[in-house]
């Protein structure tokens, strides 16, 4: 009986060993997945949203890694075709494909192979990605570039002495507020190039303040402008009175001339 029980225990050992190996494999699989996810998080692409003002320059950098053997910038603008800049350290050369002169990169390690766009324009808006290769692997950095256009501002009094505040051709659309806070009428006009013109009329007729203030809020600026359209109304009235007076004077002189001619003709007939 002792021999049989011992044999039974020896027969059961392989089964428990197989279970142990299966459990160990599951543990290693879990560790492997965790390591893969960690590597993906470290080396995977990360995206940054950037905004640059039109007419200014902007700089984007590659991943902060040393010992790069190859660096590649890929640009996918919303307008026009793709552009590629490729740098190989072993050859110390840069290969450009379909890139404008405003896109520059000196590919200096101390500058993290930064890409500079000079005189940013609407055509530069799009996606930018940098791939850096070194002995540790491949590293990516992605950017989504949005171009901001400051609006042209003006504040004036229309023909009816109503204050009008205008933010022309801005991107994105500007926000206009009035002081004192009263009702206003806003018109928005979108242009083909993506810019927007916002025009606001101060429609409040009863206010104790002669001077009204227009506040313009935009991603590129915050401006405050003031005007007094009451003086403009008086000037407009005097201007029209002067015009009317000149017309009446001309009519009076014309009538006086005809009266003189008429009287002179009658005198000549009597003689």
């Amino acid at each position: 009986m002792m021999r049989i029980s011992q044999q039974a225990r020896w027969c059961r050992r392989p089964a428990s060993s197989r279970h142990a190996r299966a459990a160990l494999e599951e543990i290693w699989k879990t560790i492997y997945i965790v390591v893969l996810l960690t590597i993906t998080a470290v080396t995977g692409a990360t995206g940054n949203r950037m905004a640059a003002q039109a007419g200014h320059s902007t700089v984007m950098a590659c991943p902060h890694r040393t010992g790069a053997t190859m660096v590649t910038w890929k640009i996918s603008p919303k307008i026009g075709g793709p552009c590629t800049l490729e740098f190989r350290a072993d050859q110390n050369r840069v290969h450009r494909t379909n890139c404008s002169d405003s896109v520059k990169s000196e590919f200096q390690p101390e500058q993290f192979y930064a890409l500079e766009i000079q005189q940013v324009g609407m055509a530069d808006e799009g996606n930018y990605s940098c791939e850096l290769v070194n002995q540790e692997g491949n590293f990516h950095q992605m950017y989504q570039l949005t171009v901001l256009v400051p609006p042209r501002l003006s504040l004036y009094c229309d023909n009816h002495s109503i204050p009008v505040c205008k933010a022309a051709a801005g991107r994105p659309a500007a926000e206009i507020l009035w002081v004192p806070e009263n009702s206003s009428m806003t018109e928005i006009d979108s242009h083909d190039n993506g810019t927007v013109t916002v025009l606001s009329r101060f429609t409040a007729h009863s206010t104790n303040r002669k001077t009204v203030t227009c506040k313009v809020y935009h991603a590129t600026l915050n401006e405050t402008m003031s005007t007094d359209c009451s003086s403009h109304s008086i000037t407009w009235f005097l201007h029209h009175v002067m015009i009317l007076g000149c017309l009446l004077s001309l009519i009076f002189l014309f009538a006086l001339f005809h009266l003189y001619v008429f009287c002179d003709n009658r005198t000549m007939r009597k003689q």
Side-chain angles (χ1 to χ4, degrees), residues 2-271:
M2 288 293 295
R3 290 179 179 177
I4 295 175
S5 61
Q6 289 178 356
Q7 290 177 357
R9 281 198 297 271
W10 282 107
C11 291
R12 287 196 297 269
R13 281 183 181 178
S16 60
S17 178
R18 286 196 298 270
H19 287 304
R21 281 197 298 269
L24 186 61
E25 288 176 0
E26 290 296 326
I27 293 172
W28 278 111
K29 284 181 181 179
T30 303
I31 296 173
Y32 181 71
I33 292 172
V34 171
V35 171
L36 283 180
L37 291 175
T38 304
I39 294 174
T40 302
V42 173
T43 63
T46 57
N48 293 326
R49 294 183 179 273
M50 289 189 62
Q53 184 172 330
H56 293 212
S57 63
T58 186
V59 177
M60 291 168 278
C62 287
H64 295 183
R65 303 288 174 175
T66 58
T69 58
M70 186 170 67
V71 178
T72 304
W73 274 101
K74 295 181 180 180
I75 304 172
S76 300
K78 291 184 178 180
I79 302 174
C83 153
T84 303
L85 290 89
E86 183 179 80
F87 170 75
R88 293 191 58 173
D90 57 346
Q91 300 179 3
N92 194 25
R93 68 176 182 86
V94 179
H95 180 69
R96 299 169 64 95
T97 305
N98 299 328
C99 296
S100 64
D101 294 336
S102 63
V103 179
K104 294 185 178 182
S105 179
E106 300 298 334
F107 288 99
Q108 299 296 328
E110 60 272 13
Q111 298 177 359
F112 300 109
Y113 306 98
L115 183 74
E116 180 183 7
I117 304 176
Q118 299 177 341
Q119 298 292 320
V120 174
M122 296 289 291
D124 295 316
E125 187 170 272
N127 297 323
Y128 293 73
S129 65
C130 176
E131 180 181 7
L132 185 146
V133 181
N134 63 7
Q135 293 181 351
E136 298 176 0
N138 294 15
F139 303 89
H140 298 81
Q141 181 69 49
M142 296 185 65
Y143 298 91
Q144 293 181 351
L145 180 64
T146 300
V147 178
L148 307 176
V149 180
R152 299 187 302 271
L153 306 182
S154 60
L155 177 62
Y156 58 92
C157 304
D158 66 5
N159 294 333
H160 302 285
S161 301
I162 295 177
V164 178
C165 189
K166 185 177 182 180
R171 188 170 188 266
E175 181 183 4
I176 298 178
L177 299 177
W178 291 94
V179 178
E181 296 182 0
N182 282 292
S183 59
S184 60
M185 183 175 62
T186 302
E187 301 174 10
I188 299 177
D189 186 15
S190 299
H191 308 293
D192 294 336
N193 62 355
T195 60
V196 180
T197 295
V198 181
L199 185 146
S200 181
R201 299 179 185 274
F202 187 81
T203 58
H205 298 289
S206 60
T207 177
N208 295 327
R209 299 175 59 177
K210 293 182 179 180
T211 302
V212 295
T213 300
C214 164
K215 292 187 175 182
V216 181
Y217 298 96
H218 189 261
T220 61
L221 54 84
N222 291 326
E223 293 287 343
T224 300
M225 301 177 292
S226 300
T227 187
D228 182 5
C229 289
S230 59
S231 58
H232 174 80
S233 178
I234 296 173
T235 303
W236 178 85
F237 175 76
L238 292 176
H239 177 71
H240 282 73
V241 168
M242 290 178 63
I243 293 176
L244 182 60
C246 291
L247 288 175
L248 291 175
S249 298
L250 289 175
I251 293 173
F252 175 77
L253 291 174
F254 184 76
L256 188 63
F257 173 76
H258 278 273
L259 180 62
Y260 173 79
V261 172
F262 176 76
C263 293
D264 186 64
N265 289 336
R266 291 189 62 181
T267 302
M268 292 291 294
R269 287 175 184 177
K270 289 180 179 180
Q271 292 177 355

